[in-house]
């Protein structure tokens, strides 16, 4: 429960930690690759008219960047 622990901290203690997490998430987004079979599965779901969504605890910008890097946007 890292996010919950940071949310409970005073800002002067948590601010630098949030920045480190954000930088880490951004770095991971740039290095992301789709899982084996993900592109084929998403293509099929799209052709069949399935509605899709993304559930993540990352920030919206990081989630979108991850999809872009993986070619899934």
């Amino acid at each position: 429960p890292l996010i919950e622990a940071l949310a409970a901290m005073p800002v002067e203690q948590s601010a630098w930690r949030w920045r480190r997490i954000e930088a880490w998430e951004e770095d991971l987004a740039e290095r992301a690759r789709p899982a084996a079979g993900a592109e084929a599965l998403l293509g099929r779901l799209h052709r069949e008219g399935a509605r899709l969504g993304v559930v993540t605890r990352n920030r919206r910008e990081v989630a979108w960047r991850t999809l872009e890097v993986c070619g899934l946007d």
Side-chain angles (χ1 to χ4, degrees), residues 1-9 14 17-18 21 24-25 56-59:
L2 177 62
I3 293 173
E4 291 80 3
L6 289 176
M9 287 182 185
S14 66
R17 291 173 171 94
W18 282 117
I21 289 172
W24 181 53
E25 288 178 348
T56 180
R57 291 186 76 167
N58 288 345
R59 292 174 319 184

Side-chain angles (χ1 to χ4, degrees), residues 33-71:
R33 299 295 174 260
E39 294 169 284
L41 173 62
L42 292 172
R44 180 176 177 182
L45 292 170
H46 178 72
R47 286 189 304 278
E48 293 178 3
R51 293 180 58 166
L52 304 175
V54 174
V55 178
T56 180
R57 291 186 76 167
N58 288 345
R59 292 174 319 184
R60 181 183 304 253
E61 301 83 21
V62 172
W64 277 115
R65 183 62 187 148
T66 302
L67 292 173
E68 290 170 358
V69 167
C70 290

